[in-house]
């Protein structure tokens, strides 16, 4: 398998490494070494590839100026770019191909090698990299000596080679990312590429300075804030300190008052004791005089008490006799009341008998009248015809109505049962449909989280879909429905995210209208695509899947998902999803056989994607593979057909429910009509039945009333006899009342006599009691004074003893409080201090309360407040000094930043002006407009500086900033190419690589750009330039300084050792000389 996809070397290692186009086309011979041009230090002199991608062995000798590498697709042009990147210690991520370096070794080989010779004053630098597939490792050599990758990177960096800088190295897969670079990233790439070596260092230094400046400013602000807070806290502490001293003054006054208070208490008590002694002697003299005047009145009172005792006994006896007579009177009165009641009850009974007899006579009269009326009505009824036939006819119709009602009710019951079943089915279908819609909402939430602008555009579209004439579909990721969530990774890895979030339009004019509204007016970054005019959605695959099943392929990518016709048509047209087979582990195991199959360009195994390119010359195949990334957006699957069927079933259920409701309403009306007729017949039947039974009822009523009348006539009472019996009962009761009245009068007279005797005894007793009371009052007055005086003497004696002890205790307490000895007198300093204070207890207590209240207002204070205040004063002084030092440091730092800014910004502005001059000149030559400027919203934010590219390709538009969304692909390619050419003359990098950037340009712009590239890159002042393209326009202008490197391969290519460039030129010249 060593010669599986063999490439021939582009140019062998003969004396002349490359030829100019002019030499080959005009027949001129190449000039000698002196005219080959001057290589810039770091330029590539030689590139050797061995078992690398599609090459077995190849050597490339580029020229010092513009090197145009041209060849058909699949011949190996981009392999040269990969070799330059990896050979100069570049990362695989730069190339955007395989992520492992082992993937760049030719299939079937265990090792591959790259050797690059770089021009360097004092001796060229040869870098060799051997790639080992097994462990995915590399072996590095510098000038034939083994070294580390870091040593290679250091040498490459020293030569100003930056393969990670898109301004210097732009591989095919990264062309589109140039326009995606932010202004900041573009500035840094430009500084590294064309600026002086120290410019990017100054920029980084400035950014670090600015960060340090922010830190210093924040530190100064924090320190100033801390100092201000410390001062404010100390001001509060100063108030606390003043309050502490004020409180101490009040406490000292309280202590002095508390010392004087016991002395004042002692003096007050001593004076009170002297007064008590004098008052006690006076009370003793008054007590002796009162005792002599009180004895005669007591003897008179005793004599009157002896006279009162017999009179009180007589009054009590009379009182008992009066109570007994009163009780007898009450008994007789009760007997009289009872007899009165008996008479009234007898009279009431007579009145009731009379009223009952009157009512009885009225009922007899009414019954006779009713009997006469019933007999008259019975005579009338006897003349009417028989209604039995009519009742039988009504019954027949009623039975018919019952049958109809039962039939309608049965049908209603069946409809209700059917409606319940359909309703349950409808609810189940609605829930299933809701679950599917929730899954669609989950996909929409993912879109909102990843790309908010697209979600905003989706909301606008849903509100304005009526503005468009053709079909407009939501972003692809929302309308693509993978049939099995396991297939989502294939679809998602095959379709780019930019297309997954793109809106799909059936008509181009609708797409332009949408982009005008959403992108231009709303400034939203959205993608949109137009489906092909001829549908590709049903286009068959190039080969039947059955023919590929032997390799493990089980389906094509198109069969794994559903999508609207326009979306599917675009995916078939753009991504060939109908021709991309998907296989399993068997496919992966047979991959070497699979890739030999014709018509296969992209295929999938279980975990990998393979891309196949077939050379148009040798028909050999080059492959690249990459691991599949897990699905992020399409793993949520909804079966569109099932959803459509569910929606159709829901509509069918709703239609059935509507039909049942209409039938139920009709049955309701029919039932209402039957109920109405039934009620009418029942009423008619009732009237006929009443008419039939009325005669029998009247005869029965007459018999009943006549029986009642006979009973009432038999129950008549004798009122005269009842009245006579009543009179006899009343006369007997009156006789009893006369006897009771006589006894009652006798008892009343006896009670009056006893009452008069009691009154006479009471008057006598009142006179004696009044005399006794007068004597007792006189005696009581004298006795009260005597008793009061005696008590006063006792109290004064007791008070004297108390005050004596109290004085002794108060004196001891006063001396103890003042810290004095028992026999010591009051010191002179305390005496003077006491003299300034009040002399009464009330005044001292008032003043003490006032001082205590004021002291309590200063609670929570201690001597620590004073210490804290003094300590903070020292801290504030230290903080002020530290803040001054920080401010000085910050001012010095700002001066240094200003100087560094001048070193960086002034040359940068000049550099950007030069780039802008070249860039604008190139655009003017293309009859367009473009400019480059240094952009920053804040001059002090050095990490926000960026280069802004603004272009205008149409005369009726304004300058627009270069973005991945506003310009077309061709416009972005032209802008990128012209910016790189504007850097070319300023370039300090040894070479620049641009791979297939002209692919998206129209012929006019491609020709203009090519002329600019030739004029610029072929100047003596420019460095080496590699321009890779698969095709060129005819009649282009070439320069002598150009080097054309044609990449050929195929089954008829000569071996490297047989390639003779000189012989080829000679044959070309001879052919030209022939007529």
């Amino acid at each position: 398998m060593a010669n599986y996809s063999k490439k021939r070397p582009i140019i062998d290692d003969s004396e002349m490494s490359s030829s100019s186009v002019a030499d080959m086309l005009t027949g001129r011979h190449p000039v000698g070494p002196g005219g080959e041009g001057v290589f810039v230090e770091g330029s590539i002199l030689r590139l050797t590839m061995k078992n690398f991608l599609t090459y077995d062995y190849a050597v490339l000798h580029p020229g010092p100026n513009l090197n145009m590498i041209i060849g058909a697709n699949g011949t190996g042009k981009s392999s040269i770019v990969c070799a330059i990147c990896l050979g100069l210690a570049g990362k695989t991520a730069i190339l955007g191909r395989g992520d492992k370096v082992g993937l760049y070794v030719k299939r079937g080989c265990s090792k591959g090698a790259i050797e690059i010779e770089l021009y360097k004053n004092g001796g060229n630098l040869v870098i060799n990299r051997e790639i080992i597939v097994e462990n995915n490792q590399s072996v590095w050599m510098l000038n034939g000596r083994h070294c580390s990758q870091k040593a290679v990177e250091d040498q490459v960096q020293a030569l100003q080679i930056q393969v990670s800088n898109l301004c210097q190295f732009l591989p095919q897969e990264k062309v589109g990312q140039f326009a995606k670079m932010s202004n900041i990233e573009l500035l840094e790439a430009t500084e590294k590429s064309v600026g002086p070596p120290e410019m990017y260092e100054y920029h980084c230094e400035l950014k670090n300075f600015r960060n340090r400046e922010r830190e210093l400013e924040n530190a100064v602000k924090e320190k100033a804030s801390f100092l201000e807070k410390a001062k404010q806290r100390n001001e509060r502490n100063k108030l606390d300190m003043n309050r502490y001293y004020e409180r101490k003054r009040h406490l000292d006054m309280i202590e002095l008052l508390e010392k004087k208070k016991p002395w004042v208490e002692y003096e007050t008590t001593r004076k009170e004791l002297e007064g008590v002694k004098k008052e006690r002697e006076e009370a003793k003299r008054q007590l002796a005089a009162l005792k002599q005047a009180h004895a005669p009145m007591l003897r008179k009172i005793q004599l009157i008490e002896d006279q009162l005792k017999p009179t009180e006994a007589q009054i009590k006896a009379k009182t008992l006799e009066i109570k007994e007579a009163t009780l007898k009177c009450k008994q007789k009165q009760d007997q009289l009341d009872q007899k009165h009641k008996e008479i009234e009850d007898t009279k009431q009974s007579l009145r009731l008998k009379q009223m009952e007899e009157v009512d009885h006579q009225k009922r007899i009269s009414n019954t006779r009248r009713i009997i006469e009326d019933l007999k008259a009505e019975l005579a009338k009824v006897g003349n009417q015809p028989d209604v039995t036939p009519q009742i039988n006819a009504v019954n027949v119709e009623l039975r018919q109505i019952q049958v109809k009602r039962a039939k309608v009710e049965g049908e209603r019951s069946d409809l209700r049962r059917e409606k319940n079943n359909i309703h349950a089915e409808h609810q189940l279908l609605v829930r299933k449909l809701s679950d599917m819609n929730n899954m669609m909402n989950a996909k929409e939430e993912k879109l909102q989280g990843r790309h908010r602008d697209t979600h905003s555009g989706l909301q606008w579209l849903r509100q304005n879909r009526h503005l468009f004439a053709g079909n407009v579909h939501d972003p692809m990721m929302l309308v693509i429905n993978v049939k099995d969530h396991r297939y989502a990774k294939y679809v998602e890895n095959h379709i780019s995210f930019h297309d997954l979030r793109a809106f799909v339009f059936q008509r181009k004019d609708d797409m332009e209208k949408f982009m005008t509204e959403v992108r231009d007016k709303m400034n939203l970054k959205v993608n949109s695509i137009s489906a092909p005019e001829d549908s590709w959605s049903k286009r068959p695959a190039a080969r039947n899947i059955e023919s590929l099943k032997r390799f493990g392929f089980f389906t094509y990518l198109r069969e794994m998902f559903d999508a609207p016709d326009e979306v599917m048509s675009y995916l078939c047209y753009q991504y060939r999803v109908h021709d991309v087979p998907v296989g399993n582990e068997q496919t992966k195991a047979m991959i070497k056989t699979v890739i030999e199959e014709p018509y296969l360009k992209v295929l999938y195994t279980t975990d990998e994607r393979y891309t196949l390119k077939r050379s148009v010359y040798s028909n050999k195949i080059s492959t690249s593979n990459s691991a599949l990334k897990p699905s992020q957006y399409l793993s949520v699957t909804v079966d569109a057909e099932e959803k459509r069927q569910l929606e159709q079933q829901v509509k069918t259920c709703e239609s059935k429910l509507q039909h049942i409701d209409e039938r139920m309403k009709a049955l309701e009306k029919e039932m209402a009509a039957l109920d109405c007729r039934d009620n009418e017949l029942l009423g008619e039947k009732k009237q006929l039945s009443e008419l039939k039974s009325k005669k029998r009822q009247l005869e029965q009523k007459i018999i009943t009333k006549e029986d009642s009348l006979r009973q009432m006539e038999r129950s008549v009472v004798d009122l005269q006899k009842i009245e006579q019996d009543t009179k006899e009962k009343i006369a007997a009761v009156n006789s009893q009342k006369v006897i009771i009245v006589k006894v009652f009068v006798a008892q009343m007279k006896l009670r009056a006599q006893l009452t008069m005797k009691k009154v006479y005894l009471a008057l006598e007793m009142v006179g004696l009691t009044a005399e006794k009371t007068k004597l007792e009052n006189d005696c009581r007055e004298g006795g009260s004074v005597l008793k009061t005086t005696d008590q006063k003497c006792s109290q004064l004696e007791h008070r004297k003893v108390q005050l004596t002890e109290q004085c002794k205790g108060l004196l001891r307490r006063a001396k103890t409080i003042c810290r004095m000895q028992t026999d010591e007198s009051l010191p002179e300093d305390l005496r003077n201090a006491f003299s300034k204070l009040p002399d009464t207890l009330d005044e001292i207590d008032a003043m003490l309360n006032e001082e205590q209240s004021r002291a309590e207002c200063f609670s929570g204070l201690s001597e620590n407040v004073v210490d804290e205040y003094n300590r903070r004063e020292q801290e504030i002084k230290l903080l002020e000094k530290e803040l001054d030092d920080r401010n000085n440091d910050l001012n010095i730092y700002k001066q240094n930043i200003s100087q560094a800014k001048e070193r960086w910004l002034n040359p940068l502005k000049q550099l950007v002006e030069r780039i802008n001059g070249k860039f604008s000149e190139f655009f003017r030559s293309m009859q367009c407009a473009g400019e480059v400027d240094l952009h920053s919203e804040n001059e002090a934010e050095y990490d926000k500086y960026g280069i802004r590219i603004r272009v205008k390709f149409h005369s009726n538009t304004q300058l627009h900033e270069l973005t991945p969304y506003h310009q077309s692909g061709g416009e972005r390619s032209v802008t990128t190419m012209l910016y790189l050419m504007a850097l070319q003359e300023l370039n300090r990098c040894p070479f620049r690589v641009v791979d297939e950037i002209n692919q998206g340009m129209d012929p006019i712009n491609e020709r203009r750009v090519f002329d600019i590239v030739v004029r610029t890159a072929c100047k003596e002042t420019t460095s080496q330039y590699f321009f890779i393209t698969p095709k060129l326009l005819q009649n282009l202008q070439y320069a002598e300084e150009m080097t054309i490197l044609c990449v050929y391969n195929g089954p008829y290519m000569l071996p490297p050792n047989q390639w003779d460039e000189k012989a080829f030129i000679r044959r070309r010249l001879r052919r030209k000389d022939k007529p």
Side-chain angles (χ1 to χ4, degrees), residues 34 63 98 102 137 202 236 294 301 347 575 583 683 685 703 713 727 736 748 776 780 836 859 867 1050:
Q137 298 293 324
Y202 286 162
R236 291 195 294 271
H294 194 61
I301 292 171
K347 291 180 178 180
Y575 290 95
K685 180 180 178 181
I703 294 171
E713 287 176 347
K727 289 178 181 180
Q736 294 173 4
M748 289 293 290
E776 284 179 346
R780 190 179 296 114
K836 298 177 182 178
S859 61
D867 297 338

Side-chain angles (χ1 to χ4, degrees), residues 109-221:
C109 298
S110 60
K111 294 181 181 179
I114 306 168
E115 185 173 278
I116 300 178
E117 182 177 357
L118 302 176
Y119 176 76
K120 185 177 181 182
N121 295 328
N124 295 340
L125 181 67
V126 179
I127 301 173
N128 185 284
R129 180 177 189 174
E130 185 178 26
I131 303 171
I132 303 171
V133 177
E134 182 178 0
N135 55 8
N136 211 46
Q137 298 293 324
S138 298
V139 178
W140 295 89
M141 296 179 69
L142 277 175
N143 292 330
R145 294 182 180 181
H146 288 282
C147 65
S148 65
Q149 182 175 339
K150 182 66 169 60
V152 175
E153 291 174 352
D154 293 341
Q155 289 290 338
V156 170
Q157 184 177 2
L159 293 172
Q160 307 298 329
I161 298 173
Q162 306 163 22
V163 292
S164 60
N165 189 342
L166 295 183
C167 288
Q168 179 178 348
F169 194 88
L170 192 61
Q172 179 181 353
E173 285 76 9
K174 297 290 184 177
V175 170
Q177 291 192 6
F178 186 89
K180 297 179 183 178
M181 293 174 65
S182 66
N183 296 343
I184 299 171
E185 293 171 339
L186 184 59
L187 172 61
E188 293 179 356
T190 303
E191 288 177 328
K192 294 176 184 178
S193 178
V194 299
E198 67 276 3
M199 177 175 287
Y200 181 68
E201 296 176 2
Y202 286 162
H203 191 184
C204 296
E205 182 181 334
L206 268 175
K207 288 190 283 189
N208 295 331
F209 281 171
R210 177 54 183 159
N211 293 333
R212 175 60 181 160
E213 183 185 15
R214 289 196 195 97
E215 293 175 1
L216 287 175
E217 288 175 346
N218 293 333
V220 169
K221 289 179 182 177

Side-chain angles (χ1 to χ4, degrees), residues 354-603:
Q354 292 173 344
M355 291 174 63
E356 286 177 358
E357 182 60 24
V358 172
D359 291 339
H360 187 68
Q361 293 298 326
K362 286 181 179 179
R363 285 198 299 275
I364 290 173
S365 176
N366 289 335
T367 302
R368 287 174 179 168
R369 188 173 60 253
I370 289 171
I371 290 172
E372 293 175 357
D373 293 339
L374 290 173
K375 287 180 178 180
E377 188 174 357
L378 179 60
K380 294 179 181 179
V381 171
N383 299 326
Q384 292 182 356
D386 188 11
V387 294
T388 302
Q390 298 179 22
I391 293 175
N392 293 335
V394 170
N395 288 333
V396 170
E397 189 172 355
L398 284 172
R399 283 193 294 273
Q400 292 175 353
I401 289 175
Q402 289 298 327
V403 171
K404 291 180 180 179
R405 289 180 63 181
K407 182 179 179 181
V408 171
E409 188 61 38
E411 187 175 355
R412 288 172 63 186
S413 178
D414 293 340
L415 288 174
R416 279 195 295 270
R417 193 180 306 108
E418 183 180 359
K419 181 178 180 180
N420 292 335
N421 294 336
I422 295 174
H423 184 72
E425 182 184 358
H426 180 265
Q427 292 296 323
L428 179 62
L429 294 172
V430 168
R431 282 196 297 272
K432 289 183 179 179
L433 194 58
S434 177
D435 293 341
M436 289 186 174
N437 290 331
N438 290 337
M439 296 172 72
M440 294 299 294
N441 292 337
K443 294 173 71 174
E444 189 171 329
E445 289 175 1
K446 286 187 177 182
L447 173 64
Q448 183 179 8
R450 176 69 185 273
H451 207 278
R452 189 174 296 275
D453 281 4
T454 302
H455 186 266
S456 300
L458 175 62
Q459 300 303 317
W460 182 90
L461 174 63
R462 289 176 175 172
Q463 296 174 3
N464 300 277
R465 201 180 293 270
H466 61 280
L467 300 177
F468 304 102
N471 293 334
V472 182
H473 298 284
D474 293 349
M476 282 192 196
M477 64 179 292
L478 299 182
V479 299
I480 289 178
N481 181 57
V482 181
K483 297 179 180 179
D484 189 326
H485 66 89
R486 294 173 299 174
Y487 301 157
K489 62 180 180 181
Y490 301 113
V491 180
E492 202 164 313
N493 278 272
H494 194 72
I495 305 172
S496 70
F497 178 71
H498 294 293
D499 277 351
L500 281 177
R501 65 180 181 86
F503 296 85
V504 182
F505 292 83
Q506 183 183 21
R507 296 164 58 102
K508 289 185 178 180
D509 55 344
D510 285 344
M511 182 179 73
E512 293 173 358
K513 183 188 297 184
F514 174 79
M515 296 303 284
T516 300
E517 293 291 334
V518 176
R519 183 184 65 185
D520 298 339
K521 294 183 180 180
M522 298 174 64
N523 199 26
L524 296 178
K525 297 176 181 179
V526 298
N527 286 353
S528 63
I529 56 178
S530 176
E533 294 182 1
D534 297 328
S535 177
W536 281 59
S537 61
K538 304 299 182 182
R539 182 161 295 198
R543 295 180 62 179
N544 193 307
I545 192 64
E546 296 297 328
S547 65
L548 299 176
K549 284 189 176 180
R550 67 181 188 275
F551 302 117
F553 293 110
F554 56 91
T555 187
Y556 281 109
L557 193 61
R558 179 176 63 182
E559 311 307 322
M560 289 184 166
F561 64 93
D562 295 318
D565 186 75
E566 287 80 5
V567 177
M568 185 67 78
S569 177
Y570 173 79
L571 294 178
C572 290
Y573 175 79
Q574 184 68 25
Y575 290 95
R576 312 287 296 182
V577 294
H578 62 295
D579 260 340
V580 177
V582 181
N584 49 27
E585 292 294 339
Q586 178 186 352
T587 309
K588 185 175 181 181
M590 301 176 62
I591 192 63
K592 293 182 179 179
T593 306
V594 172
I595 61 179
E596 295 290 344
E597 286 295 310
Y599 307 111
L600 293 182
K601 295 182 179 179
V602 179
L603 60 91

Side-chain angles (χ1 to χ4, degrees), residues 828-879:
E828 186 64 27
D829 57 340
L830 282 178
R831 193 182 301 278
N832 293 332
F834 287 168
S835 64
K836 298 177 182 178
L837 299 177
D839 294 327
T840 64
L841 281 175
D842 292 339
E843 292 176 341
I844 287 176
D845 286 338
M847 188 172 181
L848 188 61
N849 289 333
E850 182 181 354
E851 293 295 327
Q852 287 175 342
S853 299
R854 291 183 177 180
E856 288 173 356
C857 294
F858 303 100
S859 61
L861 300 175
S862 64
E863 292 182 0
N864 294 334
V865 174
V866 180
D867 297 338
E868 181 71 14
Y869 177 79
N870 294 330
R871 184 179 63 80
R872 286 188 184 278
E873 278 293 321
Q874 295 298 322
E875 288 181 356
I876 289 171
K877 291 179 181 178
L878 292 175
L879 286 172

Side-chain angles (χ1 to χ4, degrees), residues 350 352-358 360-361 364 712-722:
L350 177 60
L352 290 175
K353 293 289 184 181
Q354 292 173 344
M355 291 174 63
E356 286 177 358
E357 182 60 24
V358 172
H360 187 68
Q361 293 298 326
I364 290 173
M712 286 188 290
E713 287 176 347
R714 283 196 298 269
S715 61
V716 176
V717 297
D718 189 359
L719 283 177
Q720 292 180 355
K721 184 179 178 182
I722 292 172

Side-chain angles (χ1 to χ4, degrees), residues 978-995:
L978 295 186
Y979 183 79
L980 296 179
M981 296 315 301
L983 302 182
Q984 183 66 15
E985 292 188 21
L986 310 174
N987 206 0
R988 63 180 179 86
C989 63
F991 64 86
R992 177 173 282 108
V993 176
V994 179
D995 188 5

Side-chain angles (χ1 to χ4, degrees), residues 291-307:
K291 284 181 178 180
Q292 292 177 0
H294 194 61
M297 286 186 291
L298 292 176
R299 287 194 294 272
K300 290 182 180 180
I301 292 171
Q302 185 62 42
L303 181 61
I304 292 171
E305 287 179 351
D306 293 340
Q307 294 175 357

